[in-house]
Amino acid sequence: MKEESLEGLLDVIGIKLTELRKKKGYKSHETFSYDHELPRMHYWRIENGKTNITLKSLLRILAIHNISFEDFVAQLPKRSDRKIKTLKKSN
């Protein structure tokens, strides 16, 4: 996978995790990470696409949201939509 494709995917994953957190009623990543015993800075980096999230970390976060990996991936935008999503995040 090209580096820019990976970065775009990490951005999309971060956007989706941010949406899930907000749906759960958390306005800040800090409160969410504190309540679920996640490292605050690491979680911030995941939501902002600044780190290469491990499968273990992703599965742990998805378990908090009671969503399966398969359902999470199905909710991600298709490749052609990723660039648009990434641009929306940067605005």
Side-chain angles (χ1 to χ4, degrees):
M1 179 177 272
K2 292 183 181 179
E3 186 69 26
E4 59 195 41
S5 296
L6 176 60
E7 289 175 10
L9 181 57
L10 292 173
D11 285 339
V12 170
I13 289 170
I15 291 167
K16 188 62 186 172
L17 291 176
T18 301
E19 289 173 7
L20 290 172
R21 171 180 52 81
K22 289 180 179 180
K23 280 184 184 177
K24 215 166 182 60
Y26 288 92
K27 292 181 180 179
S28 83
H29 74 279
E30 291 176 331
T31 306
F32 179 81
S33 58
Y34 179 80
D35 285 355
H36 298 286
E37 300 178 359
L38 300 168
R40 181 186 53 83
M41 187 54 124
H42 181 67
Y43 186 75
W44 176 88
R45 291 177 57 80
I46 291 169
E47 278 197 3
N48 287 281
K50 304 286 185 196
T51 190
N52 191 0
I53 187 171
T54 64
L55 184 57
K56 183 177 180 179
S57 294
L58 180 58
L59 293 175
R60 181 174 178 205
I61 294 166
L62 295 179
I64 292 167
H65 293 292
N66 295 316
I67 184 171
S68 70
F69 177 76
E70 294 82 2
D71 289 341
F72 178 76
V73 171
Q75 293 177 17
L76 296 177
K78 306 287 183 249
R79 278 182 174 246
S80 60
D81 297 335
R82 285 187 189 155
K83 189 169 187 168
I84 294 167
K85 281 278 194 180
T86 303
L87 289 174
K88 284 183 181 178
K89 181 181 177 188
S90 64
N91 291 330

